Amino acid sequence: MRHPLAIALTLAGLMLAGCAQNVPSAVLRTATAPVEASVAAAQPERSLMAMSSQALSPISERQATVVRNVRYGRSAEQALDVYGTSERRASRPVVVWVHGGGWKMGDKGNDLEAKRAYFKSLGYVFVSTNYRLADPNVPVGRRAMHPDQIRDVCAAIGWVKQNIAAHGGDPQAIALMGHSAGAHLVSLAGTHAKYLAEAVGRVGLGSLRGVVSVDTSNYDLINTNGPWIEELVLNAFGKDRAVRRDASPLYQVDSGRQTPPFLVFVQGSAERIREARQFHDLTRQADPLQRGDQFQHVTAYNHMEINEAIGRPGERLVTPAITAFLKQMFGR
């Protein structure tokens, strides 16, 4: 039997998955191509660039290290776990994972077993971070709401840049990855230069090697469609339109400002797919080198299953695409 928290996360995820959103016409700058719902998993739209021949060995059990609950802020929720290596000068690529849960629940340890083994097999250092949650039982004014969550994620990135070398990671080779609400947060971190600059200093968005956004419906928080998603957004972002706009990755993409390459996964309704496609198209335009931005529509999994599939042995729909994307972004 699943743990009650896992059940709650599943229910919240299915709520998110079932709620489509409308993309405002003001940001429809490029035509969106129709997507066939019968396709099990869309193939990448453009061929990947040639990968580096540099070999990167997996992290062995003997070399593997785990450091839990490292504080990057004053709150107990501002903590992360590092799955690194005893090879202190290894300079391995780093993947920072941000969990989902509607911004109000979830934990850095959820659904990690397959992911931990997967990234270790790739030879990457893996970091999973918590952030302050928008607890609906806490009154507004004391509740953690935007921009608390995105500032926490960026502060975690700042900690990684400053400290990951001691865990065998390369501070110049960092990619972000998240699911659901976590996918929204990594997408915002990769497009909203202000919050990354607050935490890291004068480091541009282009310093991130890539962002993998796994099935969020929340690229636009102004135009929500359905009571469940509106309830979640209201809880974490409030009613103010300017605040919601500031928290919407779709409105933060600027063609004059470089963004990191994105790999966007989506499943669900036509509106959900259209919004994810629009966000992908805008970030692709903002990446001047177009270094492998990818979009994949997956119909074989629901909202929670797509997360559980990542790194699972023998999984063939999402894991190979993530592997190819990260190897291209890191060059190893």
Short mmCIF file of all heavy atoms in Angstrom, two decimals, residues 51 54-60 64-65 82-85 90-96 115-127 164 167-170 173 175 177 322-332:
data_model
loop_
_atom_site.label_atom_id
_atom_site.label_comp_id
_atom_site.label_asym_id
_atom_site.label_seq_id
_atom_site.Cartn_x
_atom_site.Cartn_y
_atom_site.Cartn_z
N MET A 51 27.23 14.41 -30.20
CA MET A 51 27.65 14.43 -28.81
C MET A 51 29.16 14.34 -28.70
O MET A 51 29.84 13.81 -29.56
CB MET A 51 27.01 13.25 -28.07
CG MET A 51 25.50 13.30 -28.03
SD MET A 51 24.82 11.87 -27.19
CE MET A 51 23.09 12.08 -27.57
N GLN A 54 33.84 12.51 -25.25
CA GLN A 54 34.43 12.40 -23.92
C GLN A 54 33.66 11.36 -23.10
O GLN A 54 32.45 11.43 -22.94
CB GLN A 54 34.37 13.75 -23.20
CG GLN A 54 34.93 13.72 -21.78
CD GLN A 54 34.81 15.06 -21.10
OE1 GLN A 54 34.31 16.00 -21.69
NE2 GLN A 54 35.25 15.15 -19.86
N ALA A 55 34.36 10.38 -22.59
CA ALA A 55 33.72 9.32 -21.82
C ALA A 55 33.49 9.77 -20.39
O ALA A 55 34.30 10.48 -19.81
CB ALA A 55 34.59 8.06 -21.84
N LEU A 56 32.36 9.37 -19.82
CA LEU A 56 32.05 9.67 -18.44
C LEU A 56 31.57 8.38 -17.79
O LEU A 56 30.50 7.88 -18.10
CB LEU A 56 30.97 10.74 -18.34
CG LEU A 56 30.65 11.26 -16.94
CD1 LEU A 56 31.86 11.97 -16.35
CD2 LEU A 56 29.46 12.21 -16.97
N SER A 57 32.37 7.85 -16.90
CA SER A 57 32.04 6.57 -16.29
C SER A 57 30.94 6.73 -15.25
O SER A 57 30.81 7.80 -14.64
CB SER A 57 33.28 5.97 -15.62
OG SER A 57 33.73 6.83 -14.59
N PRO A 58 30.12 5.71 -15.04
CA PRO A 58 29.12 5.77 -13.97
C PRO A 58 29.79 5.95 -12.62
O PRO A 58 30.97 5.64 -12.44
CB PRO A 58 28.42 4.40 -14.07
CG PRO A 58 28.73 3.90 -15.45
CD PRO A 58 30.08 4.45 -15.79
N ILE A 59 29.02 6.43 -11.66
CA ILE A 59 29.51 6.54 -10.29
C ILE A 59 29.30 5.19 -9.62
O ILE A 59 28.17 4.71 -9.53
CB ILE A 59 28.77 7.65 -9.52
CG1 ILE A 59 29.01 9.01 -10.18
CG2 ILE A 59 29.21 7.69 -8.07
CD1 ILE A 59 28.21 10.14 -9.57
N SER A 60 30.36 4.57 -9.17
CA SER A 60 30.26 3.24 -8.58
C SER A 60 29.70 3.33 -7.16
O SER A 60 29.67 4.40 -6.54
CB SER A 60 31.64 2.58 -8.53
OG SER A 60 32.48 3.23 -7.60
N ALA A 64 30.06 6.43 -4.52
CA ALA A 64 28.83 7.19 -4.27
C ALA A 64 28.78 7.71 -2.83
O ALA A 64 29.12 7.01 -1.88
CB ALA A 64 27.62 6.33 -4.55
N THR A 65 28.34 8.95 -2.69
CA THR A 65 28.14 9.57 -1.38
C THR A 65 26.75 10.18 -1.32
O THR A 65 26.19 10.59 -2.35
CB THR A 65 29.18 10.66 -1.10
OG1 THR A 65 29.08 11.68 -2.12
CG2 THR A 65 30.59 10.10 -1.11
N VAL A 82 22.20 15.78 -1.51
CA VAL A 82 23.21 15.68 -2.56
C VAL A 82 23.62 14.22 -2.71
O VAL A 82 24.08 13.59 -1.75
CB VAL A 82 24.46 16.52 -2.22
CG1 VAL A 82 25.48 16.43 -3.36
CG2 VAL A 82 24.07 17.97 -1.96
N TYR A 83 23.46 13.70 -3.91
CA TYR A 83 23.90 12.36 -4.26
C TYR A 83 25.13 12.53 -5.15
O TYR A 83 25.02 12.72 -6.36
CB TYR A 83 22.78 11.59 -4.96
CG TYR A 83 21.52 11.52 -4.12
CD1 TYR A 83 20.53 12.49 -4.24
CD2 TYR A 83 21.35 10.50 -3.19
CE1 TYR A 83 19.38 12.44 -3.46
CE2 TYR A 83 20.21 10.44 -2.40
CZ TYR A 83 19.24 11.41 -2.54
OH TYR A 83 18.10 11.36 -1.74
N GLY A 84 26.30 12.51 -4.51
CA GLY A 84 27.53 12.85 -5.20
C GLY A 84 28.52 11.72 -5.25
O GLY A 84 28.16 10.55 -5.31
N THR A 85 29.79 12.08 -5.24
CA THR A 85 30.87 11.12 -5.36
C THR A 85 32.02 11.53 -4.46
O THR A 85 32.23 12.72 -4.20
CB THR A 85 31.35 11.00 -6.82
OG1 THR A 85 32.51 10.17 -6.86
CG2 THR A 85 31.71 12.35 -7.40
N ALA A 90 36.23 15.39 -9.40
CA ALA A 90 35.68 14.71 -10.57
C ALA A 90 35.07 15.68 -11.58
O ALA A 90 35.07 15.43 -12.78
CB ALA A 90 34.61 13.71 -10.13
N SER A 91 34.52 16.81 -11.10
CA SER A 91 33.89 17.80 -11.97
C SER A 91 32.85 17.17 -12.89
O SER A 91 32.86 17.35 -14.11
CB SER A 91 34.95 18.55 -12.81
OG SER A 91 35.78 19.31 -11.98
N ARG A 92 31.95 16.43 -12.27
CA ARG A 92 30.88 15.78 -13.03
C ARG A 92 29.70 16.73 -13.22
O ARG A 92 29.45 17.61 -12.39
CB ARG A 92 30.42 14.51 -12.30
CG ARG A 92 31.47 13.40 -12.28
CD ARG A 92 31.01 12.23 -11.44
NE ARG A 92 31.99 11.14 -11.42
CZ ARG A 92 31.99 10.12 -12.28
NH1 ARG A 92 31.06 10.07 -13.23
NH2 ARG A 92 32.90 9.17 -12.21
N PRO A 93 28.93 16.57 -14.30
CA PRO A 93 27.71 17.38 -14.49
C PRO A 93 26.74 17.19 -13.34
O PRO A 93 26.72 16.15 -12.67
CB PRO A 93 27.13 16.83 -15.80
CG PRO A 93 28.30 16.23 -16.52
CD PRO A 93 29.18 15.66 -15.45
N VAL A 94 25.90 18.20 -13.13
CA VAL A 94 24.99 18.23 -12.00
C VAL A 94 23.56 18.43 -12.49
O VAL A 94 23.29 19.33 -13.29
CB VAL A 94 25.35 19.36 -11.02
CG1 VAL A 94 24.43 19.33 -9.80
CG2 VAL A 94 26.81 19.29 -10.61
N VAL A 95 22.65 17.59 -11.99
CA VAL A 95 21.22 17.76 -12.26
C VAL A 95 20.53 18.12 -10.96
O VAL A 95 20.63 17.40 -9.97
CB VAL A 95 20.60 16.48 -12.86
CG1 VAL A 95 19.09 16.64 -13.02
CG2 VAL A 95 21.24 16.14 -14.20
N VAL A 96 19.82 19.26 -10.95
CA VAL A 96 19.06 19.72 -9.78
C VAL A 96 17.59 19.40 -10.01
O VAL A 96 16.99 19.89 -10.98
CB VAL A 96 19.25 21.22 -9.54
CG1 VAL A 96 18.41 21.68 -8.34
CG2 VAL A 96 20.73 21.55 -9.31
N LYS A 115 15.34 7.51 -10.12
CA LYS A 115 16.09 8.68 -10.59
C LYS A 115 17.52 8.66 -10.06
O LYS A 115 18.48 8.96 -10.78
CB LYS A 115 15.38 9.97 -10.17
CG LYS A 115 14.01 10.17 -10.81
CD LYS A 115 13.38 11.46 -10.32
CE LYS A 115 11.98 11.66 -10.89
NZ LYS A 115 11.00 10.71 -10.33
N ARG A 116 17.68 8.34 -8.78
CA ARG A 116 19.02 8.30 -8.19
C ARG A 116 19.92 7.31 -8.92
O ARG A 116 21.07 7.62 -9.28
CB ARG A 116 18.93 7.93 -6.72
CG ARG A 116 18.36 9.00 -5.82
CD ARG A 116 18.13 8.46 -4.41
NE ARG A 116 19.32 7.81 -3.87
CZ ARG A 116 19.34 7.11 -2.75
NH1 ARG A 116 18.23 6.95 -2.05
NH2 ARG A 116 20.47 6.57 -2.31
N ALA A 117 19.39 6.12 -9.15
CA ALA A 117 20.18 5.09 -9.85
C ALA A 117 20.46 5.50 -11.29
O ALA A 117 21.57 5.27 -11.82
CB ALA A 117 19.43 3.76 -9.81
N TYR A 118 19.50 6.13 -11.92
CA TYR A 118 19.63 6.56 -13.31
C TYR A 118 20.74 7.59 -13.47
O TYR A 118 21.64 7.45 -14.32
CB TYR A 118 18.29 7.11 -13.78
CG TYR A 118 18.29 7.89 -15.06
CD1 TYR A 118 18.73 7.33 -16.26
CD2 TYR A 118 17.81 9.20 -15.08
CE1 TYR A 118 18.71 8.06 -17.44
CE2 TYR A 118 17.78 9.94 -16.25
CZ TYR A 118 18.23 9.36 -17.43
OH TYR A 118 18.21 10.09 -18.59
N PHE A 119 20.72 8.64 -12.65
CA PHE A 119 21.74 9.69 -12.80
C PHE A 119 23.12 9.18 -12.37
O PHE A 119 24.13 9.61 -12.93
CB PHE A 119 21.33 10.93 -12.02
CG PHE A 119 20.18 11.66 -12.66
CD1 PHE A 119 18.94 11.75 -12.03
CD2 PHE A 119 20.32 12.25 -13.91
CE1 PHE A 119 17.88 12.41 -12.62
CE2 PHE A 119 19.27 12.90 -14.53
CZ PHE A 119 18.04 12.98 -13.87
N LYS A 120 23.15 8.29 -11.41
CA LYS A 120 24.44 7.69 -11.03
C LYS A 120 25.00 6.88 -12.20
O LYS A 120 26.21 6.90 -12.46
CB LYS A 120 24.26 6.81 -9.80
CG LYS A 120 25.57 6.27 -9.24
CD LYS A 120 25.40 5.71 -7.83
CE LYS A 120 24.54 4.46 -7.84
NZ LYS A 120 24.52 3.79 -6.50
N SER A 121 24.12 6.18 -12.94
CA SER A 121 24.58 5.40 -14.09
C SER A 121 25.10 6.29 -15.20
O SER A 121 25.97 5.88 -15.98
CB SER A 121 23.44 4.52 -14.62
OG SER A 121 22.46 5.28 -15.30
N LEU A 122 24.58 7.52 -15.30
CA LEU A 122 25.06 8.48 -16.30
C LEU A 122 26.36 9.15 -15.86
O LEU A 122 27.01 9.83 -16.66
CB LEU A 122 24.01 9.55 -16.57
CG LEU A 122 22.72 9.11 -17.25
CD1 LEU A 122 21.75 10.28 -17.38
CD2 LEU A 122 22.99 8.49 -18.61
N GLY A 123 26.71 8.98 -14.57
CA GLY A 123 27.90 9.62 -14.05
C GLY A 123 27.68 11.04 -13.61
O GLY A 123 28.63 11.82 -13.47
N TYR A 124 26.41 11.41 -13.32
CA TYR A 124 26.08 12.77 -12.93
C TYR A 124 25.88 12.87 -11.42
O TYR A 124 25.36 11.95 -10.78
CB TYR A 124 24.80 13.24 -13.61
CG TYR A 124 24.84 13.27 -15.12
CD1 TYR A 124 23.66 13.32 -15.86
CD2 TYR A 124 26.05 13.26 -15.81
CE1 TYR A 124 23.68 13.36 -17.24
CE2 TYR A 124 26.08 13.30 -17.20
CZ TYR A 124 24.89 13.34 -17.92
OH TYR A 124 24.92 13.38 -19.28
N VAL A 125 26.23 14.01 -10.85
CA VAL A 125 25.86 14.33 -9.48
C VAL A 125 24.41 14.79 -9.50
O VAL A 125 23.99 15.55 -10.37
CB VAL A 125 26.79 15.43 -8.91
CG1 VAL A 125 26.27 15.92 -7.57
CG2 VAL A 125 28.21 14.90 -8.78
N PHE A 126 23.64 14.32 -8.51
CA PHE A 126 22.21 14.58 -8.48
C PHE A 126 21.86 15.30 -7.18
O PHE A 126 22.27 14.90 -6.10
CB PHE A 126 21.46 13.25 -8.57
CG PHE A 126 19.96 13.35 -8.58
CD1 PHE A 126 19.31 14.19 -9.45
CD2 PHE A 126 19.20 12.57 -7.72
CE1 PHE A 126 17.92 14.26 -9.48
CE2 PHE A 126 17.81 12.64 -7.73
CZ PHE A 126 17.17 13.48 -8.61
N VAL A 127 21.10 16.39 -7.31
CA VAL A 127 20.67 17.18 -6.15
C VAL A 127 19.16 17.29 -6.17
O VAL A 127 18.58 17.66 -7.19
CB VAL A 127 21.29 18.59 -6.16
CG1 VAL A 127 20.78 19.42 -4.99
CG2 VAL A 127 22.82 18.52 -6.14
N ILE A 164 29.11 22.61 -4.88
CA ILE A 164 29.00 21.26 -5.44
C ILE A 164 30.35 20.65 -5.79
O ILE A 164 30.47 19.42 -5.88
CB ILE A 164 28.07 21.28 -6.68
CG1 ILE A 164 27.48 19.88 -6.90
CG2 ILE A 164 28.81 21.78 -7.92
CD1 ILE A 164 26.59 19.41 -5.78
N HIS A 167 31.49 17.91 -3.70
CA HIS A 167 30.76 16.65 -3.84
C HIS A 167 31.01 16.01 -5.21
O HIS A 167 30.25 15.14 -5.63
CB HIS A 167 29.27 16.89 -3.63
CG HIS A 167 28.94 17.49 -2.29
ND1 HIS A 167 28.72 16.73 -1.16
CD2 HIS A 167 28.84 18.79 -1.90
CE1 HIS A 167 28.47 17.53 -0.14
NE2 HIS A 167 28.55 18.78 -0.55
N GLY A 168 32.05 16.47 -5.88
CA GLY A 168 32.43 15.90 -7.16
C GLY A 168 31.72 16.50 -8.36
O GLY A 168 31.82 15.97 -9.47
N GLY A 169 30.98 17.59 -8.17
CA GLY A 169 30.24 18.20 -9.27
C GLY A 169 30.93 19.39 -9.88
O GLY A 169 31.80 20.02 -9.28
N ASP A 170 30.53 19.71 -11.10
CA ASP A 170 31.07 20.85 -11.84
C ASP A 170 30.10 22.03 -11.71
O ASP A 170 28.99 21.98 -12.23
CB ASP A 170 31.23 20.46 -13.31
CG ASP A 170 31.85 21.57 -14.15
OD1 ASP A 170 32.00 22.70 -13.64
OD2 ASP A 170 32.15 21.31 -15.33
N ALA A 173 28.44 23.27 -14.88
CA ALA A 173 27.66 22.33 -15.69
C ALA A 173 26.44 21.89 -14.90
O ALA A 173 26.40 20.79 -14.34
CB ALA A 173 28.51 21.12 -16.10
N ALA A 175 22.17 21.52 -14.84
CA ALA A 175 20.88 21.48 -15.52
C ALA A 175 19.78 21.35 -14.47
O ALA A 175 19.99 20.78 -13.40
CB ALA A 175 20.82 20.31 -16.50
N MET A 177 15.68 20.26 -13.51
CA MET A 177 14.66 19.30 -13.92
C MET A 177 13.58 19.27 -12.85
O MET A 177 13.88 19.32 -11.65
CB MET A 177 15.30 17.91 -14.08
CG MET A 177 14.41 16.86 -14.67
SD MET A 177 15.42 15.38 -15.03
CE MET A 177 14.14 14.26 -15.55
N ILE A 322 15.52 12.15 -22.28
CA ILE A 322 16.23 12.91 -21.25
C ILE A 322 17.72 12.63 -21.33
O ILE A 322 18.55 13.55 -21.25
CB ILE A 322 15.68 12.56 -19.86
CG1 ILE A 322 14.23 13.04 -19.73
CG2 ILE A 322 16.54 13.19 -18.77
CD1 ILE A 322 13.53 12.55 -18.48
N THR A 323 18.08 11.37 -21.51
CA THR A 323 19.50 11.00 -21.62
C THR A 323 20.16 11.73 -22.78
O THR A 323 21.24 12.32 -22.63
CB THR A 323 19.65 9.48 -21.80
OG1 THR A 323 19.06 8.81 -20.69
CG2 THR A 323 21.12 9.09 -21.90
N ALA A 324 19.53 11.68 -23.95
CA ALA A 324 20.10 12.31 -25.13
C ALA A 324 20.23 13.82 -24.95
O ALA A 324 21.24 14.43 -25.32
CB ALA A 324 19.24 11.99 -26.35
N PHE A 325 19.19 14.43 -24.37
CA PHE A 325 19.21 15.88 -24.15
C PHE A 325 20.33 16.28 -23.20
O PHE A 325 21.11 17.19 -23.50
CB PHE A 325 17.85 16.31 -23.60
CG PHE A 325 17.75 17.78 -23.28
CD1 PHE A 325 17.53 18.71 -24.28
CD2 PHE A 325 17.82 18.23 -21.97
CE1 PHE A 325 17.43 20.07 -23.99
CE2 PHE A 325 17.71 19.57 -21.66
CZ PHE A 325 17.52 20.51 -22.67
N LEU A 326 20.43 15.61 -22.07
CA LEU A 326 21.45 15.97 -21.09
C LEU A 326 22.86 15.71 -21.62
O LEU A 326 23.78 16.51 -21.39
CB LEU A 326 21.22 15.20 -19.78
CG LEU A 326 19.98 15.60 -19.00
CD1 LEU A 326 19.81 14.70 -17.79
CD2 LEU A 326 20.01 17.06 -18.56
N LYS A 327 23.05 14.63 -22.32
CA LYS A 327 24.38 14.35 -22.87
C LYS A 327 24.77 15.41 -23.89
O LYS A 327 25.94 15.80 -23.96
CB LYS A 327 24.41 12.96 -23.50
CG LYS A 327 24.48 11.84 -22.48
CD LYS A 327 24.73 10.49 -23.13
CE LYS A 327 24.94 9.41 -22.06
NZ LYS A 327 25.22 8.09 -22.67
N GLN A 328 23.80 15.87 -24.63
CA GLN A 328 24.11 16.93 -25.58
C GLN A 328 24.43 18.24 -24.85
O GLN A 328 25.39 18.94 -25.18
CB GLN A 328 22.95 17.17 -26.54
CG GLN A 328 23.26 18.26 -27.56
CD GLN A 328 22.06 18.63 -28.39
OE1 GLN A 328 20.99 18.04 -28.26
NE2 GLN A 328 22.23 19.62 -29.24
N MET A 329 23.65 18.56 -23.84
CA MET A 329 23.85 19.82 -23.12
C MET A 329 25.18 19.82 -22.35
O MET A 329 25.87 20.82 -22.29
CB MET A 329 22.69 20.06 -22.14
CG MET A 329 21.33 20.26 -22.78
SD MET A 329 21.31 21.54 -24.04
CE MET A 329 21.30 20.57 -25.56
N PHE A 330 25.51 18.67 -21.74
CA PHE A 330 26.74 18.58 -20.98
C PHE A 330 27.94 18.22 -21.85
O PHE A 330 29.09 18.41 -21.45
CB PHE A 330 26.60 17.54 -19.87
CG PHE A 330 25.67 17.92 -18.76
CD1 PHE A 330 24.75 17.01 -18.27
CD2 PHE A 330 25.71 19.19 -18.21
CE1 PHE A 330 23.89 17.34 -17.23
CE2 PHE A 330 24.84 19.55 -17.18
CZ PHE A 330 23.93 18.62 -16.69
N GLY A 331 27.70 17.65 -23.02
CA GLY A 331 28.79 17.19 -23.88
C GLY A 331 29.43 15.92 -23.36
O GLY A 331 30.54 15.57 -23.78
N ARG A 332 28.74 15.20 -22.47
CA ARG A 332 29.28 13.95 -21.91
C ARG A 332 28.17 13.19 -21.19
O ARG A 332 27.17 13.76 -20.82
CB ARG A 332 30.42 14.23 -20.95
CG ARG A 332 30.18 15.36 -19.98
CD ARG A 332 31.37 15.67 -19.13
NE ARG A 332 31.25 16.97 -18.50
CZ ARG A 332 31.90 17.31 -17.40
NH1 ARG A 332 32.69 16.46 -16.79
NH2 ARG A 332 31.76 18.52 -16.89
#
